[in-house]
Amino acid sequence: MIKSLAVNIITHNGLDSFILEAIRSVRNYVQEIVVIDDGSIDDTRFAVKAEFGEVKVIRFDKSHTDERAMLLNIAKTETKSDWILRIDDDEIIPEETMEEILALDGAVPVYSIPFLHYEDGGFIDPKCHKKNSFYVARLFKNIPEINWKKREEVICYNGTPVSSRANQINLCRMLENPFLHFGQLKKNRIHEYTFHEKGHCSITLENYFEYLPIKN
């Protein structure tokens, strides 16, 4: 079982997103949370510290949008726990996913997690798209062999990218339970999501409705 778990988060204007909800979803399951505030011009860092005094916030005065891997490596360096779960400020981790993570045997250094992307009132059905395209390597052992590749934001083991599809069976395995991605609900959103086909089939909110940051 994983006994020492930390969360690393990069945020930029997190109050336009859901950073407080993201932290709430993991706080009771982890020993450590490190937030990189990537040049926010809002009160993100003050809001985080006001509600979560134990969270470590590392503040940058300007954004490093094209150097997120560098920021993630800084967060890793600042983390003491044995394992790290990396999430974004528009992602929420359901209880069953956190419980699955804590029950892992740690047989491989990286785990890939499925995700449900919220769009147009529902979650995109991963079954309608390319096999395993809705998995991403996000949970990893805090060891020197693992770091993030600059610019491309890819997790690597001894410099070799680790496939989110868990093709390298000695390096990565897949979890069963997903995390939830709510990027479409961000305020002032300018990013266009291109990782899925348009005209997708949508699945209902089902038992994930309780995690929706803004209820319908």
Side-chain angles (χ1 to χ4, degrees), residues 100-188:
E100 181 183 5
I101 288 171
L102 293 178
L104 292 171
D105 59 9
V108 292
V110 180
Y111 287 88
S112 184
I113 308 177
F115 68 95
L116 295 178
H117 174 68
Y118 180 87
E119 191 168 300
D120 300 331
F123 290 113
I124 294 172
D125 190 346
K127 296 178 181 178
C128 297
H129 302 281
K130 190 174 181 180
K131 184 179 180 181
N132 297 335
S133 62
F134 280 67
Y135 277 80
V136 62
R138 288 293 192 85
L139 176 68
F140 57 95
K141 198 167 186 179
N142 188 9
I143 53 178
E145 291 84 354
I146 291 180
N147 60 18
W148 295 89
K149 187 174 181 180
K150 290 184 177 181
R151 292 191 177 275
E152 297 178 25
E153 198 181 335
V154 175
I155 195 167
C156 296
Y157 184 86
N158 283 331
T160 300
V162 177
S163 170
S164 289
R165 298 181 185 180
N167 295 328
Q168 303 129 305
I169 58 176
N170 293 325
L171 290 180
C172 184
R173 293 181 184 173
M174 292 178 172
L175 270 64
E176 294 290 333
N177 292 297
F179 67 85
L180 310 177
H181 181 258
F182 292 107
Q184 194 191 53
L185 296 179
K186 283 184 176 181
K187 299 176 184 176
N188 304 312

Side-chain angles (χ1 to χ4, degrees), residues 12 33 76 85 117 131 148:
H12 179 76
I33 299 174
K76 177 178 181 290
L85 172 64
H117 174 68
K131 184 179 180 181
W148 295 89

Side-chain angles (χ1 to χ4, degrees), residues 6-81:
V7 166
N8 288 173
I9 306 175
I10 293 178
T11 185
H12 179 76
N13 294 338
L15 299 184
D16 283 348
S17 190
F18 309 104
I19 187 168
L20 300 181
E21 290 86 349
I23 293 173
R24 289 182 199 127
S25 73
V26 299
R27 184 188 190 190
N28 292 335
Y29 297 92
V30 303
Q31 286 70 50
E32 190 179 2
I33 299 174
V34 177
V35 172
I36 300 288
D37 183 351
D38 185 28
S40 296
I41 59 174
D42 65 6
D43 291 332
T44 292
R45 65 189 185 279
F46 301 115
V48 169
K49 292 300 291 184
E51 182 169 347
F52 312 105
E54 76 279 11
V55 172
K56 185 172 188 177
V57 179
I58 301 172
R59 161 78 178 170
F60 285 84
D61 291 332
K62 65 177 183 177
S63 178
H64 296 72
T65 304
D66 295 328
E67 300 175 287
R68 286 172 60 87
M70 178 268 289
L71 298 178
L72 288 167
N73 285 328
I74 290 173
K76 177 178 181 290
T77 300
E78 294 291 331
T79 301
K80 307 303 180 186
S81 299

